[in-house]
């Protein structure tokens, strides 16, 4: 058992990052930016909170204007824009028709390169949404407040289905298409949905995958817990033909494309919803603990994603915006569908794997469609860098703006993104936020703040972050110490509760630093993000990752991301994961997993280089016990490396559930390689105590 060193509190994480240089935005970018006047920073300063968010609310069309900006009477269940009524679908579709009916709302790019894109204008979207809404109402009998689960791949029918629900005030709950039928079933149970919307098949990595089979599993799973799904609505990947080998279940399964024939030309008036009515649920952390259904509001959420899309994504009417993420993830809800559509943008959607059929694919799409705003995650950037570092240079596209989101980006990877993908011309925003947050929390304002690789930047407009130590004392900016990052104030995009579990909502996100549970002042309810972070003297935040993902070496708490960034300074390394292993002397030691560029063979020399890089950037304390070179990392479908699985392998403990991994087959490969080597070296751990087992099991788990 590791003894905690006296004086070292939980939240303190040793930080050894070197300060990176600033990269200023170009004059050309500044000249056209939506937020180029520094006056905006003043407008959103704390002095003007919460009224500053009127600016975001005024991007929307309200049926009835609101009277109270923020109601804190039932803290911490905040209510935004109280008294207001609006419809999210109307705001994303109908109101654009007068001037922009023939503008592309979506350009959908199928995975097979020989298949044609589908361009859906705002008028076409309007027609499809209305007809599907009619079907939901009249065929399924759904009404305002009901929940509907989607298990949809990346096709425009997903957006149509979401907007049709929004039109009727039905709460949609999209489960990431790559999740198993069982995971989908669990979410059906939790949300109490009786209708499942899915698709027969979709393309992934060159094969047409049978997706309908998962619907049967999901429904069976729900049934086993007493939740009955009475209708499964199935969209066809190819509208004219059913593409799944899985048979339909009579009186339960219905083909949407056929049913819609009865609703041709139907128009459904958008239902005017209170601002605080729930718009959708988005489940999070399902890979580890029981899933939490984050409930997002209509008015606050939509205002927040519209405002942040305008100022942080810098979307203009003439832009072609491509967020290469999945709509089954909050990023896609906020920044493929709701945010861009609220601004009447053209949003590109891609069906498949970014490296299919090769690592030049995204850049061919960008060239062909003249995409100028590009948005993706570090895992995709690393994948594209690994598979084709020289590909972007071969294509004639020009981005003005790029986003990275989802995990801390290693400065080495950031620099490749900037130089190779952005060709040195594009600004980058590193946007830090969470499923719970609706929209960005930390980022530079692209024309007003210089970029700094590895740091997301300051809190975004109207967000006032603070870093606390374990006792609730503020960790000063520039002190070189990390702690628990919190947001001191509510904001319109924050989720309203955990579906069906308000106590858990309060406990997980607010209890830790709340000084007075009776208080109705927002000042008493800082929001605990659960990430470790360090604030530099310039106010920029460096996110170290989940506080649970910390390795304690002799009482010295090391952030996994920092160790991994050090590994990525070794040229041949393209991905790295750091995990704790039991060590008789140090209590815990660090063990490293790395994946290499495809052209590079594993060698002792590379292992030594990794060790040297860690010693140099962090110190001898972090010297890894082993460096394992592996072909690939176990990853979730959203691309997060599952450190807990690797930790299980390193420690000969249970790697936990691997069901929701994108590449579960890799786990057994890596396990055999690592464990047989350890056994050969006499390095297999002795029988672990229960306490040790329990502590290790906590690594990489989320609450
Ligand atoms: C966790 C939230 C927000 C949509 C995608 C992820 C990590 C997210 C960043 C970033 C450093 C980041 C945090 C956060 N994270 N973005 N730019 N820099 N870390 O949503 O699945 O709810 O995950 O992702 O650890 O808590 P999520």
């Amino acid at each position: 058992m590791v003894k905690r060193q006296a004086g070292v509190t939980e939240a303190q994480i040793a930080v050894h990052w070197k300060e990176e240089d600033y990269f200023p935005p170009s004059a050309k970018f500044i000249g056209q930016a939506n937020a180029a006047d520094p006056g905006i920073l003043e407008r959103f300063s704390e002095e003007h909170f919460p009224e500053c968010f009127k600016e975001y609310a005024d991007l929307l069309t309200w049926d009835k204007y609101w009277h109270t900006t923020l109601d804190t009477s039932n803290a911490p269940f905040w209510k935004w824009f109280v008294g207001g009524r609006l419809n999210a679908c109307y705001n994303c579709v109908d109101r654009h028709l007068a001037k922009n009916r023939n503008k592309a709302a979506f350009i959908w790019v199928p995975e097979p390169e020989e298949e044609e894109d589908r361009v859906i204008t705002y008028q076409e979207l309007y027609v499809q949404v209305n007809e599907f809404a009619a079907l939901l109402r009249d065929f399924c009998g759904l009404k305002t407040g009901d929940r509907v689960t989607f298990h949809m791949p990346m096709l425009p029918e997903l957006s149509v289905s979401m907007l049709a629900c929004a039109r009727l005030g039905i709460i949609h709950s999209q489960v990431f298409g790559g999740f198993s039928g069982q995971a989908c079933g669990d979410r059906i149970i939790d949300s109490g949905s009786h209708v499942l919307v899915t698709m027969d098949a979709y393309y992934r990595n060159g094969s047409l995958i049978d997706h309908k089979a998962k619907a049967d599993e999901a429904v069976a799973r729900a049934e086993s817990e007493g939740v009955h799904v009475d209708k499964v609505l199935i969209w066809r990947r190819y509208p004219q033909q059913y593409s799944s080998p899985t048979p339909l279940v009579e009186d339960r399964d219905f083909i949407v494309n056929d049913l819609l024939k009865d609703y041709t030309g139907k128009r459904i008036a958008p239902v005017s919803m209170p601002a605080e009515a729930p718009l959708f649920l988005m489940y999070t952390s399902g890979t580890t603990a029981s899933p939490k259904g984050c409930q997002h509001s209509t008015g606050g959420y939509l205002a927040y994603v519209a405002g942040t899309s305008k100022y942080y994504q810098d979307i203009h009417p003439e832009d072609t915006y491509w967020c290469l993420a999945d709509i089954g993830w909050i990023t896609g809800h906020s920044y493929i569908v709701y945010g861009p559509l609220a601004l009447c943008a053209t949003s590109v959607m891609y069906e498949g794997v970014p490296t299919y059929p090769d690592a030049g694919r995204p850049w061919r799409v960008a060239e062909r469609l003249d995409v100028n705003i590009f948005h993706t995650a570090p895992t995709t950037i690393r994948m594209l860098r690994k598979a084709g570092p020289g590909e972007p240079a071969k294509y004639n596209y020009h981005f003005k703006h790029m986003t990275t989101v989802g995990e801390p980006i290693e400065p080495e990877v950031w620099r490749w993104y900037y130089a190779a993908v952005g060709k040195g011309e594009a600004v980058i925003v590193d946007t830090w936020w969470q499923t719970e947050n609706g929209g960005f929390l930390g980022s530079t304002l692209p024309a007003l703040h210089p970029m700094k690789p590895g740091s997301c930047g300051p809190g975004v407009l109207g967000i006032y972050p603070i870093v606390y130590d374990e006792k609730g004392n503020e960790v000063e900016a520039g002190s070189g110490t990390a702690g628990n990052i919190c947001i001191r104030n509510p904001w319109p995009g924050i989720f309203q509760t955990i579906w069906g579990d308000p106590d858990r909502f309060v406990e997980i996100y607010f209890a830790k630093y709340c000084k007075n549970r009776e208080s109705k002042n927002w000042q008493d309810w800082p929001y605990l993000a659960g990430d470790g972070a360090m604030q530099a003297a310039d106010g920029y935040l460096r996110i170290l990752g989940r506080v649970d993902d910390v390795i304690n070496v002799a009482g010295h708490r090391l952030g996994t991301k920092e160790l991994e960034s050090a590994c990525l300074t070794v040229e041949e390394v393209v991905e790295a994961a750091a995990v704790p292993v039991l060590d008789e002397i140090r209590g815990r030691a660090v063990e490293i997993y790395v994946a290499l560029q495809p052209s590079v063979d594993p060698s002792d020399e590379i292992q030594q280089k990794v060790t040297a890089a860690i010693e140099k950037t962090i110190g001898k304390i972090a010297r890894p016990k082993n460096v394992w070179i592996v072909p690939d990392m176990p990853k979730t479908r959203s691309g997060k490396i599952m450190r807990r699985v690797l930790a299980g392998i390193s420690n000969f403990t249970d790697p936990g559930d691997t069901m929701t991994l994108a590449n579960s087959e890799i786990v057994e490969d890596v396990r055999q390689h690592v464990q047989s080597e350890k056994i050969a070296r006499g390095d297999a751990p002795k029988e672990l105590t229960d306490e040790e087992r329990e502590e290790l099991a906590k690594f990489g788990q989320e609450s």
Side-chain angles (χ1 to χ4, degrees):
M1 211 23 218
V2 184
K3 300 266 179 322
R4 293 216 193 289
Q5 219 177 316
V8 178
T9 60
E10 273 284 313
Q12 284 173 336
I13 302 169
V15 178
H16 319 77
W17 302 100
K18 83 171 174 40
E19 272 296 299
E20 299 283 339
D21 294 333
Y22 289 120
F23 287 63
S26 69
K28 190 172 167 199
F29 181 83
I30 298 170
Q32 60 80 63
N34 282 331
D37 172 3
I40 196 168
L41 299 168
E42 167 58 23
R43 294 205 299 280
F44 280 86
S45 67
E46 197 169 343
E47 199 184 325
H48 298 121
F49 180 85
E51 304 310 324
C52 53
F53 283 114
K54 175 176 172 10
E55 188 164 333
Y56 283 6
D58 285 348
L59 294 171
L60 306 180
T61 304
W62 296 82
D63 305 332
K64 182 165 176 277
Y65 207 69
W66 38 278
H67 52 71
T68 305
T69 311
L70 171 64
D71 173 355
T72 63
S73 60
N74 186 24
F77 300 90
W78 318 119
K79 287 194 180 127
W80 281 90
F81 310 128
V82 185
R85 298 186 83 95
L86 78 167
N87 182 276
C89 177
Y90 177 86
N91 272 278
C92 290
V93 185
D94 305 40
R95 67 169 176 154
H96 304 318
L97 297 180
K99 290 198 180 127
N100 287 293
R101 73 183 64 221
N102 295 319
K103 176 173 179 171
F106 291 111
I107 301 176
W108 175 70
V109 180
E111 192 191 69
E113 214 159 1
E114 62 285 2
E115 261 182 50
E116 301 264 318
D117 295 342
R118 260 165 66 191
V119 178
I120 297 161
T121 64
Y122 275 93
Q123 175 67 21
E124 286 165 334
L125 186 61
Y126 172 77
V127 169
Q128 292 178 27
V129 165
N130 271 280
E131 292 177 355
F132 189 62
L135 187 159
L136 290 176
R137 189 189 67 181
D138 299 343
F139 181 73
C140 301
L142 290 165
K143 55 183 190 319
T144 301
D146 289 346
R147 279 80 55 212
V148 173
T149 298
F150 300 163
H151 195 204
M152 295 278 291
M154 277 293 284
L155 269 88
E157 286 76 3
L158 169 53
S159 311
V160 168
S161 305
M162 288 163 67
L163 292 162
C165 284
R167 197 167 188 81
L168 296 169
I170 295 166
I171 303 168
H172 60 74
S173 169
Q174 155 70 2
V175 178
F176 176 66
F179 276 169
S180 64
Q182 189 175 332
C184 177
D186 289 340
R187 288 153 181 76
I188 290 174
I189 297 163
D190 191 81
S191 61
S193 303
H194 302 291
V195 173
L196 172 64
V197 182
T198 187
M199 192 158 239
D200 55 354
Y202 66 99
Y203 274 98
R204 195 169 166 84
N205 236 338
S207 6
L208 187 61
I209 295 184
D210 175 14
H211 189 59
K212 169 19 174 109
K214 289 183 176 177
D216 293 356
E217 285 165 37
V219 172
R221 167 90 187 151
E223 204 71 54
S224 75
E225 296 286 322
V227 176
H228 178 67
V229 174
D230 33 64
K231 287 190 174 61
V232 178
L233 302 181
I234 303 159
W235 289 93
R236 285 197 290 240
R237 167 63 175 76
Y238 292 101
Q240 308 309 328
Q241 84 207 39
Y242 182 61
S243 304
S244 159
T246 306
L248 300 182
V249 175
E250 221 182 291
D251 293 333
R252 187 200 73 184
D253 295 352
F254 301 92
I255 300 290
V256 177
N257 310 70
D258 292 338
L259 294 178
L260 278 175
K261 297 191 178 102
D262 294 339
Y263 298 92
T264 311
K266 276 268 181 203
R267 299 290 180 264
I268 300 284
V271 177
S272 189
M273 301 296 292
E276 65 269 26
L279 179 62
F280 66 86
L281 305 180
M282 170 63 65
Y283 283 87
T284 184
S285 280
T287 44
T288 52
S290 75
K292 299 178 285 221
C294 297
Q295 177 185 316
H296 285 282
S297 73
T298 305
Y301 170 80
L302 199 63
Y304 198 69
V305 297
T308 50
S309 294
K310 178 171 175 185
Y311 293 132
Y312 287 90
Q313 298 294 288
D314 199 51
I315 300 178
H316 297 240
E318 65 278 18
D319 291 327
T320 303
Y321 166 84
W322 184 14
C323 174
L324 180 52
D326 198 288
I327 296 178
W329 198 23
I330 188 81
T331 299
H333 275 50
S334 301
Y335 298 113
I336 297 177
V337 182
Y338 285 114
L341 261 53
L343 298 180
C344 193
T346 296
S347 183
V348 177
M349 263 178 92
Y350 174 60
E351 177 179 27
V353 174
T355 48
Y356 182 83
D358 58 68
R361 183 66 187 280
W363 323 130
R364 285 197 289 283
V365 172
E367 180 183 76
R368 187 163 54 80
L369 301 179
D370 204 4
V371 171
N372 66 339
I373 307 181
F374 184 70
H375 185 152
T376 196
T379 176
T380 307
I381 302 169
R382 286 192 299 262
M383 191 204 295
L384 290 164
R385 175 173 177 243
K386 178 177 175 185
E391 288 299 308
K394 296 183 189 160
Y395 298 95
N396 183 21
Y397 67 84
H398 295 276
F399 295 150
K400 70 165 185 177
H401 180 292
M402 304 192 300
T403 301
T404 167
V405 59
E407 61 174 310
I409 185 165
E410 299 86 349
E412 287 302 312
V413 177
W414 192 100
R415 279 188 277 269
W416 180 80
Y417 195 38
Y418 182 78
V421 179
K423 305 181 177 182
E425 302 164 336
V427 291
I428 296 181
V429 290
D430 178 349
T431 59
W432 167 70
W433 59 297
Q434 311 169 295
T435 304
E436 294 86 336
N437 309 148
F440 306 145
L441 289 185
S443 170
T444 49
L445 248 178
L448 291 172
H449 299 126
M451 305 159 248
K452 196 160 76 171
S455 295
C456 65
V460 300
L461 295 169
I463 297 285
Y464 320 118
I466 188 164
V467 179
Y468 282 126
D469 70 11
E470 209 50 34
K471 298 197 187 92
N473 300 312
E474 179 172 355
V475 180
E476 300 279 332
S479 66
T481 310
N484 289 319
I485 181 150
C486 295
I487 307 300
R488 287 194 286 114
N489 60 301
W491 63 97
I494 190 174
F495 68 141
Q496 300 176 294
T497 186
I498 296 175
W499 179 260
D501 205 347
D503 294 343
R504 197 164 162 219
F505 172 76
V506 177
E507 284 313 312
I508 294 178
Y509 301 98
F510 298 96
K512 191 171 176 90
Y513 295 117
C514 176
K515 294 186 195 79
N516 171 12
R517 294 264 193 140
E518 303 306 311
S519 173
K520 312 249 173 271
N521 290 333
W522 60 260
Q523 284 87 347
D524 291 318
W525 293 92
Y527 168 82
L528 174 73
D531 283 332
M534 191 186 82
Q535 196 162 27
D538 58 11
Y540 280 34
L541 297 163
R542 187 144 206 173
I543 307 296
L544 307 175
R546 311 293 306 166
V547 286
D548 323 298
D549 279 6
V550 157
I551 304 177
N552 191 327
V553 181
H556 203 76
R557 290 167 60 82
L558 303 170
T560 43
K561 202 67 218 178
E562 183 173 55
L563 292 157
E564 292 157 8
S565 289
C567 301
L568 267 101
T569 63
V570 177
E571 214 190 314
E572 296 86 348
V573 172
V574 288
E575 271 189 318
V579 302
V581 278
L582 290 174
D583 180 273
E584 291 194 350
I585 295 152
R586 293 174 285 181
R588 289 295 160 67
V590 173
E591 206 152 275
I592 296 286
Y593 288 77
V594 292
L596 306 181
Q597 281 170 6
S599 53
V600 178
D601 290 328
S603 67
D604 292 352
E605 194 200 332
I606 292 175
Q607 288 169 319
Q608 282 153 18
K609 276 202 210 169
V610 169
T611 301
I614 290 178
E615 288 193 355
K616 179 164 162 262
T617 41
I618 298 171
K620 284 232 180 331
I621 183 86
R623 184 189 169 87
K625 191 162 183 173
N626 290 296
V627 176
W628 304 108
I629 298 176
V630 294
D632 199 3
M633 305 283 172
K635 283 184 203 136
T636 64
R637 298 278 176 167
S638 57
K640 290 203 160 78
I641 297 176
M642 290 301 282
R643 298 190 187 90
R644 91 169 138 79
V645 173
L646 296 172
I649 292 172
S650 281
N651 293 290
F652 291 73
T653 53
D654 178 12
D657 176 19
T658 55
M659 183 178 77
T660 48
L661 293 186
N663 55 351
S664 49
E665 69 290 345
I666 198 79
V667 176
E668 195 44 32
D669 269 18
V670 174
R671 193 188 66 77
Q672 288 201 1
H673 165 65
V674 169
Q675 294 188 347
S676 58
E677 183 85 358
K678 284 195 166 203
I679 290 166
R681 291 188 205 165
D683 194 14
K686 296 189 229 50
E687 197 45 35
L688 302 183
T689 66
D690 287 350
E691 262 176 330
E692 285 168 340
R693 223 173 260 287
E694 201 178 303
E695 266 225 38
L696 280 171
K698 277 195 206 139
F699 177 77
Q701 301 281 353
E702 291 179 26
S703 43

